[in-house]
């Protein structure tokens, strides 16, 4: 703590300036968050319904040979799409998602060189490169997504890589937006589309921790809408099953990636808003403490001066 | 009274309509179909066109759709549309303009097969929007 009053005043001023900045950043993050959250909530029904439809389709006899649904015995070459933020100052947001991603890579195979990573967002890219992972390409992440066309290139790259058997498995790591104070980092398997994949990799977007919920959902759907009328797994396809799957799955992958991006954006802005609010609160507290300290020091010097004067006066009177 | 179908139409941007209805007419690639209660499970690719939703005692709802998928389950119909609009949301003059612009471009881009196909698809979508918008005016 500085000893003289001038230094303390300077300190108070500087903390006050910082507080103003963090307050402004909080406001900016809050307005971005509002927009991002609106977008996320608007696309969720589509993403979830289409994901369910395709998961359901993947259960039907005769579709298991579609190249995008075909399961492999061994997963050697894995592609992971990592969505993080472009800027820092958002608490543990980036650290959490990178940790989650690396953990899941290690679970799959111990050779980190075998896993190829596509990054979206500068922060995560920097962190994952520093850890020695193999980053094959980097996409620019828009701060606020404007439409599904922003992930078109990425989804084409993913689908083509999978179809050419460059990858056995494609996963996406993003932060799921549960509420403005809770965001969960999540790794989800995109390809092959597989209902029976490990629980950890499942989960309908935006349904917090109830992982494995998709399975129940599908079962429920099958019972409620199909088995009851003895139509279990008997679908009519128009024009034919192959054509439907060919059109539907790429579209679905695109939507899933878009949804992941939107979830990540909403999470990022919420995380930033929260950490900025904490910073503003901390600055306020610090100003209070400093002001109290300043008053004490000032009072001490006043008391001292008075006692000196009165001592001087008494000496004169003697 | 016949059984009602749980009907839902969603686009990547929003949910357009979610209701219990009696019948739905949908444009698929192989032609228009009408789904009533008790239809067998079906998955089809949509063509640009109009969706008509009928409900007893209520006005029919007209919607323009540009493409997507429809999943029919027992007493449940889900439409995953690329874009969809209700008739009252369509601005007819703007749809007309967009269609004319696309037609003009199409004439210019005759050599480019990919552009040409994309523009043809666009014209088809705008036609569907126009059709739906005009139908509303007639009522």
């Amino acid at each position: 703590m500085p000893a003289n009053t001038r230094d303390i005043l300077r300190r108070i001023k500087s903390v006050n300036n910082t507080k103003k900045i963090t307050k402004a950043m909080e406001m900016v993050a809050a307005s971005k968050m509002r927009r991002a959250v609106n977008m996320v909530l608007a696309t969720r029904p589509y993403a979830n319904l289409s994901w369910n439809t395709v998961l359901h389709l993947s259960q039907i006899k005769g579709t298991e040979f579609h190249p995008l649904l075909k399961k492999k015995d061994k997963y050697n070459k894995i592609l992971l799409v990592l969505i993080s933020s472009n800027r820092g100052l958002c608490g543990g947001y980036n650290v959490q998602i990178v940790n989650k991603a690396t953990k899941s890579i290690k679970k799959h195979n111990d050779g980190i060189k075998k896993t190829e990573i596509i990054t979206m967002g500068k922060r995560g890219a920097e962190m994952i490169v520093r850890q020695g992972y193999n980053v094959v390409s980097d996409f620019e992440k828009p701060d606020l997504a404007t439409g599904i066309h922003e992930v078109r290139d990425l989804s084409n790259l993913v689908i083509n890589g999978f179809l050419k058997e460059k990858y056995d498995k494609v996963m996406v790591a993003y932060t799921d937006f549960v509420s403005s104070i809770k965001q969960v980092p999540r790794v989800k398997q995109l390809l092959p589309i597989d209902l029976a994949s490990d629980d950890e990799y499942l989960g309908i977007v935006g349904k917090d921790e109830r992982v494995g919920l998709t399975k129940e959902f599908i079962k429920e759907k099958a019972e409620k809408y199909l088995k009851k009328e003895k139509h279990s797994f008997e679908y009519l396809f128009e024009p034919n099953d192959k054509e439907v799957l060919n059109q539907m799955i790429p579209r679905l992958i695109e939507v899933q990636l878009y949804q992941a991006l939107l979830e990540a954006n909403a999470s990022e802005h919420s995380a930033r808003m929260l950490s900025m609010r904490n910073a503003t609160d901390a600055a306020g507290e610090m100003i209070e403490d400093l002001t109290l300290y300043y008053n004490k020091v000032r009072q001490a010097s006043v008391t001292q001066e008075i006692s000196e004067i009165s001592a001087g006066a008494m000496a004169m009177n003697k | 009274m016949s059984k009602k179908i749980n009907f839902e139409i969603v686009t990547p941007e929003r949910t357009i309509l979610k209701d219990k209805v009696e019948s739905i007419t949908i444009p698929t690639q192989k032609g228009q179909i009408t789904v009533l209660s008790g239809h067998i499970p079906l998955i089809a690719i949509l063509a640009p066109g109009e969706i008509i939703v009928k409900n007893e005692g209520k006005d029919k709802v007209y919607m323009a759709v540009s493409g997507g998928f429809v999943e029919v389950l027992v007493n449940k119909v889900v439409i995953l549309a690329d874009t969809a609009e209700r008739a009252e949301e369509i601005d007819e003059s703007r749809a007309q303009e967009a269609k004319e612009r696309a037609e003009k471009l199409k004439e210019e881009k005759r050599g480019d097969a990919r552009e040409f196909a994309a523009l043809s698809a666009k014209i088809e979508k705008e036609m569907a929007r126009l059709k739906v918008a005009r139908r509303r005016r007639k009522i």
Side-chain angles (χ1 to χ4, degrees):
Chain A
M1 280 276 185
N4 69 52
T5 48
R6 236 183 47 219
D7 285 348
I8 302 174
L9 272 183
R10 196 183 295 148
R11 188 78 191 275
I12 291 177
K13 232 172 154 183
S14 112
V15 174
N16 226 331
N17 285 338
T18 311
K19 187 182 166 187
K20 274 181 201 155
I21 294 171
T22 54
K23 184 86 193 161
M25 284 167 99
E26 183 195 327
M27 305 280 227
V28 172
S31 85
K32 280 187 180 168
M33 182 191 98
R34 230 167 290 133
R35 284 175 60 193
V37 168
N38 282 342
M39 290 178 86
V40 138
L41 296 181
T43 52
R44 256 181 203 170
Y46 187 94
N48 289 344
L49 281 171
S50 57
W51 186 241
N52 280 329
T53 302
V54 171
L55 273 179
H56 200 190
L57 280 183
S58 70
Q59 297 298 293
I60 297 166
K61 282 229 167 64
T63 59
E64 63 262 43
F65 299 111
H66 192 277
L68 287 168
L69 295 175
K70 201 159 62 186
K71 290 154 209 160
K72 304 265 166 66
D73 304 332
K74 250 178 137 184
Y75 297 111
N76 281 325
K77 296 157 290 176
I78 291 168
L79 176 71
L80 185 110
V81 180
L82 177 71
I83 303 177
S84 61
S85 79
N86 284 330
R87 265 163 282 152
L89 291 179
C90 45
Y93 175 80
N94 286 308
V95 179
Q96 275 174 17
I97 187 65
V98 170
N99 280 349
K100 179 89 183 172
T102 51
K103 234 187 238 164
S104 118
I105 292 169
K106 276 171 193 150
K107 209 182 260 178
H108 275 80
N109 55 13
D110 28 38
I112 58 172
K113 298 281 176 218
K114 273 189 197 161
T115 303
E116 295 191 355
I117 292 171
I118 292 177
T119 55
M120 212 172 186
K122 288 179 200 149
R123 285 281 155 152
E126 281 164 21
M127 283 164 81
I128 208 97
V129 167
R130 219 177 299 137
Q131 292 184 32
Y133 285 93
N134 187 8
V135 176
V136 286
S137 74
D138 178 45
F139 281 85
E140 197 177 321
K141 188 184 80 76
D143 222 20
L144 277 171
T146 50
I148 198 156
H149 55 88
E150 304 207 44
V151 293
R152 196 147 288 159
D153 291 340
L154 174 61
S155 84
N156 284 342
L157 187 78
V158 165
I159 293 167
N160 288 336
F162 188 80
L163 282 177
K164 284 180 190 150
E165 306 210 334
K166 206 169 147 199
Y167 309 113
D168 297 328
K169 194 180 205 174
V170 181
M171 295 190 295
V172 56
Y174 65 99
T175 310
D176 198 0
F177 178 81
V178 180
S179 73
S180 57
I181 44 165
K182 191 173 178 203
Q183 297 94 34
V184 187
R186 185 159 289 164
V187 179
K188 180 168 176 167
Q189 178 177 329
L190 271 186
L191 288 167
I193 293 162
D194 183 6
L195 185 58
S197 63
D198 300 347
D199 264 1
E200 191 201 342
Y201 308 113
L202 272 172
I204 304 181
V205 268
K207 289 261 167 111
D208 67 331
E209 288 147 319
R210 290 171 283 165
V211 277
L213 188 114
T214 333
K215 256 182 208 169
E216 286 163 31
F217 198 88
I218 296 291
K219 225 167 87 191
E220 184 196 303
K221 183 174 164 181
E223 271 166 15
K224 198 165 166 194
Y225 296 112
L226 292 166
K227 276 194 187 128
K228 212 168 61 183
E229 309 269 330
K230 290 179 190 162
H231 285 307
S232 63
F233 304 120
E234 195 185 296
Y235 262 107
L236 215 64
F237 286 98
E238 230 175 82
N240 56 53
D241 53 351
K242 216 175 153 199
E243 189 62 31
V244 168
L245 286 174
N246 278 347
Q247 291 217 15
M248 203 162 188
I249 296 174
R251 176 82 187 155
L252 172 89
I253 298 301
E254 210 172 87
V255 168
Q256 287 294 313
L257 281 170
Y258 183 55
Q259 181 71 19
L261 173 66
L262 289 180
E263 298 274 350
N265 266 342
S267 301
E268 179 195 333
H269 295 308
S270 317
R272 179 165 296 124
M273 191 190 82
L274 204 68
S275 72
M276 285 301 116
R277 178 174 295 164
N278 285 341
T280 310
D281 289 350
E285 256 170 53
M286 201 165 177
I287 289 169
E288 257 172 48
D289 288 351
L290 279 173
T291 310
L292 185 68
Y293 182 63
Y294 167 76
N295 287 339
K296 273 185 186 160
V297 170
R298 193 181 54 103
Q299 187 59 52
S301 74
V302 169
T303 317
Q304 199 188 354
E305 263 170 46
I306 289 172
S307 70
E308 271 165 17
I309 290 166
S310 61
M314 264 155 75
M316 294 267 281
N317 284 345
K318 260 186 188 169
Chain B
M1 203 189 97
S2 61
K3 263 169 102 186
K4 294 210 170 183
I5 314 166
N6 290 304
F7 174 64
E8 204 170 334
I9 173 166
V10 292
T11 70
E13 276 79 37
R14 66 208 167 106
T15 303
I16 309 283
L17 183 70
K18 190 175 179 181
D19 204 1
K20 282 195 160 122
V21 303
E22 246 151 50
S23 87
I24 310 136
T25 305
I26 308 158
T28 72
Q29 282 194 340
K30 283 174 103 182
Q32 210 171 41
I33 58 166
T34 298
V35 178
L36 296 164
S37 173
H39 199 286
I40 67 162
L42 162 90
I43 289 184
I45 303 173
L46 295 184
E50 65 174 342
I51 294 173
I52 307 166
V53 178
K54 276 184 212 161
N55 215 342
E56 203 172 80
K58 276 192 212 163
D59 283 343
K60 290 177 191 171
V61 181
Y62 295 95
M63 282 172 282
V65 66
S66 69
F69 309 95
V70 58
E71 186 183 23
V72 179
L73 301 162
V74 177
N75 285 327
K76 188 181 168 83
V77 174
V78 177
I79 292 183
L80 303 164
D82 296 343
T83 65
E85 282 165 298
R86 294 172 72 137
E88 54 267 33
E89 294 164 354
I90 301 172
D91 185 336
E92 196 187 325
S93 54
R94 278 180 66 187
Q96 181 71 38
E97 257 172 53
K99 187 193 147 207
E100 277 159 14
R101 213 168 359 173
E103 272 169 351
K104 219 171 121 196
L105 268 172
K106 191 177 158 188
E107 285 304 316
E108 288 166 17
K109 295 266 164 78
R110 244 176 209 296
D112 189 342
R114 216 176 130 186
E115 282 273 348
F116 190 76
L119 283 166
S120 301
K122 174 134 177 60
I123 291 170
E124 226 174 294
K125 283 172 201 168
E126 294 301 341
M127 297 259 278
R129 291 181 68 201
L130 271 175
K131 191 177 163 197
V132 173
R134 287 200 181 124
R135 192 185 287 277
R136 183 175 165 252
R137 211 174 42 181
K138 263 185 240 156
I139 299 166

